[in-house]
Each structure stands twice: as C-alpha cells, then as structure tokens.
Amino acid sequence: MSVRNCFFGFLCLLLVSCSVTRGLPGTPFTAEQRAMIMEAGPQVPMRVWKINNYFDSILLRTESEEVRVDPKDPLLQHFVSRLYATVTD
C-alpha cells in the first residue's frame, strides 16, 4: 500500500467521522438536564439563572449547544411548558 493511498484513506476516514458526529438521533439533553427538566410538573416555573450568582454566571457564559427539535418529544414538550410557566409567573 503506497503512502498516497494511506493518506487518502486517512483523509476519507477523517471526513466521514467528522460528518457523522452531527445530527445523531436521540434526545438532545444530557441526563443532568433531563433531571432538571423533570424535577417538577409542567406548570411549575423553572429556576431563573442570574448573572450576579457566581456559579450561575459560569453556566450562562458557556457556549450554547444546538437542540434537535422534535415536536413529538415528550421531554421537549415538558421543557417548553416549564419555560412558559417561568416567563408567565
């Protein structure tokens, strides 16, 4: 196997592996996030994160992650209900 073929194979593998990591099926939330969402009913407002709290401010300054939206996902529906309760409280 020539160096050129090895390089080409490595390049193809790298491109495929990078493209596969985006858009994987499954829940868009981590286990910790799911626990925070489900710790109360849909009518209970979520805690508001504040910039004057040191630990909150660290979280608020982290880079956001893309959320895969599935309107039929019961966890996402519960999350939206709790967010709505938060802003209308």
Side-chain angles (χ1 to χ4, degrees):
M1 189 179 247
S2 71
V3 174
R4 182 176 172 202
N5 286 344
C6 286
F7 178 75
F8 182 75
F10 175 75
L11 184 62
C12 288
L13 180 64
L14 181 65
L15 290 174
V16 169
S17 66
C18 289
S19 65
V20 170
T21 58
R22 303 276 269 143
L24 292 175
T27 181
F29 301 105
T30 65
E32 182 181 3
Q33 291 167 335
R34 286 191 301 269
M36 286 174 54
I37 293 168
M38 299 305 292
E39 72 184 358
Q43 304 304 319
V44 178
M46 297 189 79
R47 185 171 89 73
V48 176
W49 299 76
K50 300 178 181 175
I51 60 169
N52 60 352
N53 178 306
Y54 176 75
F55 297 105
D56 288 359
S57 70
I58 290 174
L59 176 88
L60 291 170
R61 287 183 274 142
T62 58
E63 188 174 338
S64 300
E65 297 176 15
E66 185 176 335
V67 175
R68 292 179 300 276
V69 177
D70 177 9
K72 297 177 183 173
D73 181 5
L75 181 65
L76 186 60
Q77 291 174 359
H78 190 85
F79 183 46
V80 169
S81 295
R82 293 208 52 207
L83 290 176
Y84 184 75
T86 302
V87 299
T88 58
D89 184 33

